[in-house]
Amino acid sequence: QVQLVESGGGLVQAGGSLRLSCTASGRTFSSYAVGWFRQAPGKEREFVATINWTGGSTYYVDSVKGRFTISKDNTKNTAYLQMNSLKPEDTAVYYCAAVHGIYLYRDGHEYDYWGQGTQVTVSS
C-alpha cells in the first residue's frame, strides 16, 4: 500500500510559478510511475504529466508543454510538478497518482494510488 500526500498548492497571479510535491509513504517510490492530474470545477479530470519509474522519461499534455516540468526523487520518495508561466485556465485541484510499472501512464484508470489533491488558483 502506498499513501500519497500532495502539497505546494496556493493562489498565484498569472505568469507566476508554483511547485507541487507528492510524497509517498508505505513503500519505496522507486518502482512506481507517477502522474499528475487536475480537475477544474464542472470539468472532468484531466491528465497533466507523467514520469516513469526511473525518472528518465516524461510525457505532458500539450497545454502545459514548455511550462510544467515533472520530476522524481526516489531517494526522498517524492515527485514534483514545477509549474511556470501559470494561466487562469490552470486553476484546478491537482492530484498525484502512482502505479507500479515501468512505462508512462496517461490514463487515470491505470493508477492504483491517489493523493487527496491540492488546490491551485491562478488569478488574472
Side-chain angles (χ1 to χ4, degrees), residues 3-85:
Q3 293 81 40
L4 303 175
V5 178
E6 301 100 333
S7 61
L11 173 64
V12 64
Q13 288 187 333
S17 298
L18 284 173
R19 188 177 80 157
L20 305 183
S21 298
C22 173
T23 301
S25 61
R27 287 191 178 182
T28 178
F29 216 23
S30 59
S31 59
Y32 287 79
V34 174
W36 285 95
F37 295 79
R38 64 187 180 186
Q39 187 166 21
K43 295 187 176 181
E44 293 188 352
R45 184 179 64 197
E46 175 190 29
F47 164 79
V48 176
T50 184
I51 189 166
N52 75 335
W53 65 296
T54 65
S57 294
T58 59
Y59 186 85
Y60 301 88
V61 68
D62 286 347
S63 60
V64 307
K65 284 181 181 177
R67 300 188 298 122
F68 290 12
T69 302
I70 188 172
S71 61
K72 189 169 178 270
D73 187 340
N74 288 332
T75 66
K76 296 182 178 180
N77 263 15
T78 301
Y80 305 95
L81 186 68
Q82 177 67 45
M83 305 186 295
N84 299 329
S85 302

